[in-house]
Amino acid sequence: MPGRLLRGLWQRWGRYKYRFVPWIALNLSHNPRTLRYVPEESKDKVISDEDVLGTLLKVFQALFLNDFNKQSEILTMLPESVKSKYQDLLAVEHQRVKLLENRHQQQSTFKPEEILYKTLGFSVAQATSSLISAGKGVFVTKGLVPKGAVVSMYPGTVYQKYEPIFFQSIGNPFIFRCLDGVLIDGNDKGISKVVYRSCNGRDRLGPLKMSDSTWLTSEIHNPLAVGQYVNNCSNDRAANVCYQEFDVPAVFPVELKQYLPNIAYSYDKQR
């Protein structure tokens, strides 16, 4: 019994130590590959914000069109110019699908991960990590990821530095700290899940959802919302992705916000 208890504690420590600041400080020099030098906050960009925004709009529009039959309530609240834009895009898509159906009997509605593959040329998903004691990880399940591509988003509730997060943080390995001190709670269980669902319902405007809550379930509508399960590199394996911050602009299309996997903890703090 004591041996089993010790093994359990050792496994928990193996997962937690990468978030324990004193351990990180003492071990940084042991693995220089875990460090990425950033001279200043404004230069922490691997690709431009324009490229990130372009990718998100491309994927979200494809998801919206794929689910077009379920968007009737949202469409009634959009300006005529926006509605006609989607109807034109849908007509083009239907023509393309019709040609494919003539060649091989293909379905007209696809799973979100299939839409991601059709749009960006690859798809990603959660699976058991190949790293020992690392739990889940994120893998490319189909296609190839080109250098500089957006591969995932870090979902969760966004907390300003002064907002309460103590109880949500207990035993929570998914608290992510941004460069400016803002925290993102990407835990899909427990009190974190309850808080996110509450904020998600609070900000909803009729049929218009201001964020996506499906990443808390097994039926994810935004296939990019798996970033909290991307593991750090190890001594044996170098990192093949890197983190970059991006603020969603205020002019982001309201009909596509239903795919954003983040929500502000405070109603008056939208980022």
Side-chain angles (χ1 to χ4, degrees):
M1 186 68 180
R4 186 184 300 174
L5 180 62
L6 287 173
R7 278 196 301 273
L9 289 172
W10 183 252
Q11 288 176 352
R12 287 181 70 89
W13 166 247
R15 292 192 294 267
Y16 176 73
K17 64 185 179 183
Y18 299 106
R19 298 171 179 87
F20 185 57
V21 175
W23 185 90
I24 294 172
L26 290 171
N27 286 273
L28 279 176
S29 60
H30 297 168
N31 186 5
R33 288 191 304 188
T34 62
L35 297 175
R36 182 165 69 94
Y37 176 67
V38 179
E40 56 186 81
E41 183 177 325
S42 61
K43 295 182 180 179
D44 185 33
K45 301 286 181 185
V46 178
I47 58 176
S48 69
D49 283 350
E50 290 75 20
D51 288 340
V52 176
L53 179 60
T55 298
L56 296 185
L57 290 175
K58 188 177 180 181
V59 173
F60 291 1
Q61 282 182 353
L63 292 169
F64 186 87
L65 289 173
N66 185 60
D67 230 5
F68 199 76
N69 292 335
K70 299 178 182 177
Q71 309 288 355
S72 55
E73 288 187 340
I74 293 176
L75 289 169
T76 59
M77 302 185 70
L78 299 179
E80 285 300 323
S81 57
V82 177
K83 280 195 280 190
S84 61
K85 179 191 78 170
Y86 282 115
Q87 285 163 353
D88 292 343
L89 288 171
L90 190 65
V92 172
E93 181 67 12
H94 277 167
Q95 284 293 333
R96 191 181 67 80
V97 170
K98 213 167 188 180
L99 287 172
L100 288 171
E101 283 178 342
N102 290 337
R103 295 177 194 171
H104 348 270
Q105 286 296 319
Q106 288 206 359
Q107 56 190 27
S108 57
T109 303
F110 298 88
K111 294 180 180 179
E113 57 269 23
E114 293 172 329
I115 292 297
L116 182 62
Y117 174 72
K118 284 158 59 70
T119 307
L120 299 184
F122 64 88
S123 58
V124 294
Q126 297 177 37
T128 303
S129 176
S130 56
L131 299 174
I132 298 172
S133 301
K136 292 182 179 179
V138 175
F139 295 84
V140 178
T141 56
K142 191 177 182 182
L144 294 172
V145 180
K147 184 178 180 180
V150 176
V151 294
S152 66
M153 303 174 70
Y154 199 100
T157 307
V158 180
Y159 293 83
Q160 299 301 312
K161 291 181 282 188
Y162 51 82
E163 291 176 332
I165 195 174
F166 174 75
F167 290 108
Q168 297 93 308
S169 68
I170 296 174
N172 185 353
F174 296 106
I175 303 290
F176 190 94
R177 187 181 186 276
C178 299
L179 287 171
D180 56 3
V182 168
L183 301 173
I184 304 175
D185 182 4
N187 195 357
D188 55 8
K189 297 178 179 64
I191 190 173
S192 301
K193 181 177 182 178
V194 173
V195 169
Y196 187 94
R197 283 192 183 280
S198 175
C199 295
N200 176 261
R202 174 201 66 197
D203 290 357
R204 181 168 179 163
L205 300 172
L208 292 172
K209 298 177 183 176
M210 296 295 105
S211 64
D212 171 36
S213 62
T214 62
W215 65 273
L216 298 168
T217 72
S218 58
E219 300 292 329
I220 299 177
H221 289 180
N222 174 6
L224 292 174
V226 292
Q228 78 275 38
Y229 285 108
V230 174
N231 285 308
N232 295 322
C233 66
S234 66
N235 290 323
D236 304 318
R237 302 192 181 206
N240 55 8
V241 293
C242 110
Y243 144 81
Q244 178 171 316
E245 293 182 14
F246 172 73
D247 284 338
V248 176
V251 294
F252 196 83
V254 68
E255 71 276 7
L256 300 182
K257 287 186 177 182
Q258 61 181 297
Y259 302 111
L260 289 173
N262 299 100
I263 193 77
Y265 179 75
S266 293
Y267 180 73
D268 59 340
K269 291 291 180 185
Q270 298 297 329
R271 291 176 47 118

